[in-house]
Each structure stands twice: as C-alpha cells, then as structure tokens.
C-alpha cells in the first residue's frame, strides 16, 4: 500500500527532538513522510530531514495542529494526495513506537471495508469546556484516510472550509470531536485499531487513563507524551494517579523504546512539579539507618548546606527533627543516585506538619520572580522541591558548568532547576516509617474533604488563625 504520513510538529525552539526523529524513522519504512512544523527548524534538523528524504513545510504558529494539517494538504494538492492509497495525519504528541508498526498497518489493510480509521478512540461525554455534548470519536493524534474518501469533494471541502482554531479547546471542538461524526454522516465507515469497548464504562479516554494496558495488552504502538506532565489533579479525578509511573516502568523493563530520552526532552519544556507528581519522583529509603563514613566531596556527589528562612517555633522544631533524621541515612540516599542515573538532586521530604508545607510555598512565592529570570525551564506556582531541611545532595554531573554557589534557600532553588536544564530530574526521599505515618492523615484528609461539615469547620479555623495573626 502506498502511504503518505503528514506529521505535525511543534517546538518553541525549533528543535526536532530525539523522540520525534525516532517516530519518523519508524514510519519511513512504511510510508513517505511530509513534516509540517509550526515554526522554523534548526539547521541540523533540516540536514537530518534531507538525509532521510523527509519533505519539510515550515509555517507560522497559527491554527495549532488543525492549521498545520490544512496547510499541508492544500500545499500538496488534491491530485497528489489522492495518488496515495492511504493518508495518515499524525501528531508529534504521540510518542513511540514501542513495537513494530508493520502489525498495525497489516491488520488494518485487511479491513478493506473501512474508509477511515484511527489509532484510538475517545468515548462520549458531557463537557462544558469542549462545547457540551461530545460524541464518541477517533482521536486526532492519528487518523488514516483511504483513497476513496480522499477523492471525495466532502473531504476537501472539510479542510478548505476549516476555521483555524485560536486555542486548544477550539481545536478539539472544530476538528477532533467533529471529524468522525461529520464523515460518518456522509456515509463513510470507520473504526479504531486499538479496541477498548470493554473499558468504555470505566474510562472515556483510555490512552491517557491506562496507557500501559493499551501498550502491553492491546498492541498499541504509541502513547501520549502528555502522560508524563498532565495536570495531576485532573488525573486524580479520573484515575488512581499511577498511569505515568506504570507506563514508564513497563517501557523501561519490557521494551527497547528509549524512554529516558523522552523524559530528558520533556524536562526542558515542562515543570518539575508536574512531571514529579506524574512520575512519583519520591523515594522510600530502607528502614535500616546507617551513617556515611566517607567524605562526600571526594565522590561524584556533593552535600550542600544553606540557610533556611526563620519560621514559627513549632515548624522550626519539626523541620530540624526531620533534617537530622534524614542525615542519618546518607548512605541509602547515595544509593538512590546509583540506581537512578537521571537523578540530579535529592532533598528530604517535608515533615508531617501542615505549616511546613505553607512555609515552603510562601518562600517559593517570594523567590519566584527572581528565579524565573535565572533559568530557561518553565516554572509554575508549585515549588520544584521542598528545601526546608537546609541541605540537599546533588550529582556533580548534573552541573557540567559547575555547581552554583549556594548560601540561602533562594540560591538553593536553582539547584533542581539548573539540573533540569541539563536533563536531570530531582526527587524527595523519606524513611519507610515516615511514609507509613503519612497514610493516616492522608486517609483522614480524603474522607473529610467530602464532608460539608468538616470542610466548613476547617475553613472557620483557617479564617480564625488568619485573623489572630
């Protein structure tokens, strides 16, 4: 089958990263690839594209992926596009493949009654954000259209009359949730490659909710980059919050996909707080406590101490106790760096004292404006790491230009952020006993958060303490 893939790409710096190249190279054995990017690629990316016979179309960053597909189709023209047996519209937000693509394309070729098909589907839901009633539809990150449909006026009128979206929400409304229903009503037959009908009553968006299930048991060759940085609060509303970690561990252990290359690529564009939550960059130490006899400065690690802000007496007490307890476990902490080569900075988790969390956030808010001018990675209102213990352990290799001078907590924030710029993540750690202790307040908090009386009582206490200050 003669196949054309229009591969949409976007990067603010014009970088065609390793995971994108990996995907395109896998596609090239089965298709011709026309790459459309909303921006200007770097020169070495143009060289790579030329070496792989990938045609590139650069355009202004308008209309998101919808605008890119539209311009690519109109640039190639109806006659050229319809000369192929199959057209695939693919989005760089898919990562992979994690298995050979031949199986998917071979199986779908045998289903010759289909006019168009997709990788995965999203089930019907009600969403004010996306226009109200959202029908079941193929997801636009991978859509395949067969020649008979490509030759129809309806297909070209769809794109010629397409309104360019101004936002992600408009893109979903005017294209993703519309494409399947629009062409089904025209009489065209469709289906998805990955079958998830049995999950319909559980998840409306299986590729995000249970990506490991789709990859491991349903032969899905791709997964979403967004799995590793999606807003974690959204995940907790629809899943148990373990989707990204489960997927990462499976890919690391059971496939040849270079998943750490993807994580490094994502670190430059997404916050440590978002990725840390999805990836659970929080480690439990063995229960046995040991001291560290060797001088840390002579190893590939460095123990850095700094002043912490003065806070109330109770918080100061718990922070001091927590920091002293953690220092007894330096050997176990050092072992984390051996086990996890991408770990750049490790810090003790905050103690189980609510005010300590508030102190950490207050300090982050105070230093945020200064910090955002010091680094190139994105920041948000979540601290990248709790630093109230007054010390962290860092991997020297995460700072090829040298570890910055650190004397206070404002300086210390730079450690995880600069390590992130260099492709390393940061993590917290605590003992098994500390982790076990967290289970009780967590359970109590979850239960109480659903009770109106408890929420009102807590709000009253909060207002009282604010007034008494």
């Amino acid at each position: 089958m003669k196949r054309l893939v229009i591969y949409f790409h976007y990067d603010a710096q014009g970088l065609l990263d390793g995971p994108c190249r990996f995907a395109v190279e896998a596609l090239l054995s089965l298709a011709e690839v026309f790459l459309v990017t909303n921006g200007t690629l770097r020169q070495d990316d143009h060289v790579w594209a030329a070496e792989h016979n990938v045609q590139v179309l650069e355009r202004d960053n308008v209309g998101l992926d919808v605008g890119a597909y539209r311009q690519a189709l109109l640039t190639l023209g109806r006659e050229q596009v319809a000369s192929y047996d199959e057209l695939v519209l693919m989005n760089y937000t898919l990562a992979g493949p994690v298995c050979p693509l031949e199986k998917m394309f071979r199986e779908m070729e045998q289903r010759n009654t289909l006019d168009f098909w997709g990788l995965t589907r999203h089930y019907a839901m009600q969403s004010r954000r996306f226009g109200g009633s959202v029908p079941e539809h193929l997801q636009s990150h991978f859509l395949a259209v067969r020649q008979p449909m490509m030759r129809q006026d309806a297909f070209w009128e769809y794109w010629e009359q397409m309104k360019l979206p101004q936002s992600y929400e408009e893109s979903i409304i005017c294209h993703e949730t519309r494409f399947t229903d629009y062409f089904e009503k025209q009489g065209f037959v469709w289906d998805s490659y990955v079958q998830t009908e049995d999950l319909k009553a559980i998840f409306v968006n299986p590729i995000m909710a249970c990506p490991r299930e789709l990859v491991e048991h349903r032969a899905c060759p791709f997964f979403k980059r967004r799995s590793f940085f999606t807003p974690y609060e959204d995940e907790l509303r629809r899943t148990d919050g373990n989707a990204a970690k489960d997927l990462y561990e499976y890919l690391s252990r059971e496939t040849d996909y270079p998943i750490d290359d993807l994580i490094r690529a994502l670190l430059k564009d997404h916050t440590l707080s978002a990725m840390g939550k999805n990836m659970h960059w929080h480690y439990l130490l063995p229960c046995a406590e040991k001291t560290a006899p060797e001088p840390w400065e002579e190893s590939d690690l460095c123990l850095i101490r700094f002043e912490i802000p003065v806070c109330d007496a109770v918080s100061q007490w718990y922070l001091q106790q927590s920091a002293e307890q953690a220092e007894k476990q330096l050997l176990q902490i050092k072992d984390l760096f051996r086990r996890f080569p991408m770990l750049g900075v490790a810090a003790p988790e905050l103690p189980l004292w609510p005010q300590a969390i508030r102190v950490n956030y207050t300090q982050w808010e105070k230093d945020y404006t200064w910090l955002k001018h010091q680094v190139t990675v994105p920041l948000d209102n979540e601290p990248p790491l709790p630093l109230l213990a007054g010390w962290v352990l860092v991997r020297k290799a995460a700072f090829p230009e040298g570890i910055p001078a650190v004397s206070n907590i404002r300086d210390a924030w730079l450690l995880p952020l600069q390590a992130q710029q260099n492709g390393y993540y940061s993590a917290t750690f605590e003992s098994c006993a500390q982790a076990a202790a967290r289970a009780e307040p967590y359970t109590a908090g979850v239960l109480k958060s659903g009770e109106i009386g408890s929420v009102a009582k807590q709000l009253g206490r909060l207002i009282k303490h604010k007034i008494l200050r």
Side-chain angles (χ1 to χ4, degrees):
M1 179 176 283
K2 185 181 178 183
R3 183 178 292 112
L4 172 67
V5 175
I6 296 179
Y7 184 90
F8 166 66
H9 163 266
Y10 172 73
D11 181 81
Q13 286 75 48
L15 171 67
L16 188 66
D17 62 27
C20 283
R21 293 187 180 193
F22 186 91
V24 170
E25 288 177 7
L27 290 163
L28 284 170
S29 63
L30 297 159
E32 296 176 33
V33 177
F34 184 92
L35 189 150
V36 53
T37 182
N38 283 4
T40 303
L41 291 182
R42 303 177 312 169
Q43 182 57 35
D44 66 325
D45 290 322
H46 276 290
V47 171
W48 175 87
E51 291 174 347
H52 289 80
N53 295 317
V54 173
Q55 187 176 346
V56 174
L57 171 64
E58 297 173 326
R59 63 187 298 275
D60 292 338
N61 186 25
V62 293
L64 289 85
D65 57 338
V66 178
Y69 291 140
R70 180 182 185 275
Q71 187 167 339
L73 286 167
L74 298 182
T75 297
L76 289 167
R78 181 169 180 166
E79 183 176 347
Q80 181 177 350
V81 171
S83 69
Y84 292 90
D85 299 308
E86 189 167 76
L87 166 71
V88 176
L89 305 176
M90 181 175 171
N91 195 307
Y92 80 103
T93 60
L94 283 179
V98 302
C99 60
L101 291 174
E102 288 85 354
K103 179 178 183 294
M104 176 180 71
F105 284 116
R106 183 173 61 251
E107 288 187 12
M108 297 311 287
E109 284 176 17
Q110 294 170 1
R111 302 186 61 184
N112 53 25
T113 59
L114 297 179
D115 296 299
F116 67 104
W117 60 277
L119 178 72
T120 54
R121 66 179 72 198
H122 191 294
Y123 292 102
M125 66 176 185
Q126 292 296 317
S127 171
R128 182 179 301 176
R129 180 186 181 191
F130 298 121
S133 181
V134 176
E136 183 174 327
H137 60 275
L138 294 173
Q139 292 176 286
S140 63
H141 47 228
F142 189 105
L143 290 172
V145 180
R146 300 259 167 89
Q147 188 185 74
M149 181 170 155
M150 282 188 281
R151 290 188 175 277
Q152 298 297 314
D153 291 340
F155 178 75
W156 291 94
E157 288 171 359
Y158 176 88
W159 290 105
E160 289 167 354
Q161 298 170 8
M162 175 66 68
K163 173 187 174 183
L164 294 187
Q166 302 296 312
S167 66
Y168 170 74
E169 287 76 12
E170 286 188 13
S171 174
I172 298 298
I173 293 169
C174 76
H175 173 56
E176 167 144 345
T177 61
R178 177 171 170 249
F179 185 94
T180 305
D181 184 61
Y182 179 89
F183 286 106
E184 182 179 42
K185 288 176 178 176
Q186 300 279 338
F188 296 106
V189 180
W190 64 277
D191 199 359
S192 61
Y193 169 65
V194 181
Q195 297 297 310
T196 52
E197 186 68 19
D198 58 314
L199 300 175
K200 183 176 181 177
I202 308 171
F203 303 121
V204 296
N205 189 6
I207 197 170
M208 282 296 297
C210 54
R212 175 174 175 172
E213 167 67 22
L214 269 59
V215 168
E216 183 178 9
H217 299 298
R218 302 178 191 235
C220 186
F222 295 102
F223 59 94
K224 296 290 283 187
R225 289 181 175 228
R226 187 160 57 92
S227 292
F228 299 111
F229 59 83
T230 193
Y232 193 63
E233 292 73 15
D234 290 347
E235 287 303 287
L236 290 179
R237 282 196 290 271
R238 54 195 176 219
T239 74
D240 66 353
N242 286 315
K245 184 68 171 180
D246 285 347
L247 176 64
Y248 176 84
E249 291 183 348
Y250 173 76
L251 295 176
S252 299
R253 187 173 59 249
E254 303 295 338
T255 75
D256 294 327
Y257 182 74
I259 183 62
D260 284 345
D261 288 347
L262 174 63
I263 298 301
R264 290 189 187 94
L266 295 177
L267 279 167
K268 75 179 181 64
D269 289 325
H270 302 283
T271 64
L272 270 177
S273 58
M275 293 189 66
K277 289 177 182 178
N278 284 284
M279 290 290 288
H280 304 315
W281 284 332
H282 177 81
Y283 298 118
L284 302 186
L285 303 178
C287 294
E289 297 177 353
K290 300 178 182 178
T291 56
E294 75 271 23
W296 295 95
E297 290 73 20
E298 294 179 11
S299 71
D300 58 351
L301 306 177
C302 183
L303 182 63
I304 299 177
R305 300 181 186 277
F306 48 89
E307 295 180 2
I308 61 172
V310 177
C311 50
D312 64 275
V314 180
S315 297
Q316 205 77 34
W317 164 264
Y318 283 116
L319 289 169
Q320 180 179 343
Q321 296 297 311
S322 175
E324 291 176 355
Q325 184 70 16
E327 283 203 63
K328 297 177 182 178
Q329 300 169 312
L330 284 175
L331 278 182
Q332 292 96 318
I333 301 165
K334 181 180 180 181
D335 190 55
L336 292 176
F337 287 86
R338 178 188 61 79
R339 291 164 53 200
F340 304 103
M342 288 178 63
L343 176 60
V345 181
E349 182 56 273
L350 291 170
L352 275 174
W353 174 242
Q355 183 61 21
I357 299 174
R358 299 189 187 102
V359 172
N360 195 50
Y361 272 75
T362 298
Q363 187 64 38
W364 174 249
E365 292 171 0
K366 178 181 176 182
D367 296 333
Y368 177 88
T369 301
W370 178 82
L371 287 163
K372 71 179 182 180
H373 296 296
Q374 310 302 314
V375 294
T376 59
V377 292
L379 308 182
D380 60 16
N381 60 0
E382 297 269 352
L385 209 62
L387 298 179
L388 295 183
W391 64 269
V392 293
L393 196 60
V394 305
R395 186 191 301 273
K396 293 178 181 178
F399 303 90
E401 298 180 359
I403 299 172
V406 174
S407 61
N408 53 47
I409 194 169
R410 189 180 78 164
D411 298 335
W413 293 122
L414 289 174
L415 295 171
L417 299 175
Q418 289 190 3
Q420 181 185 1
Q421 289 179 170
N422 295 320
Y424 293 83
Y425 69 86
S426 298
T428 54
F429 59 84
E430 66 180 338
S431 68
C432 294
Q434 285 174 292
R438 288 184 191 279
E440 303 306 327
Y442 170 78
T443 302
V446 170
L447 291 175
K448 295 298 182 183
S449 68
E451 299 175 3
I452 296 176
S454 296
V455 173
K457 186 176 181 180
Q458 181 61 28
L459 180 60
R461 286 176 175 171
L462 180 60
I463 293 172
K464 174 184 175 182
H465 286 301
K466 292 287 186 181
I467 292 174
L468 290 177
R469 283 183 181 181

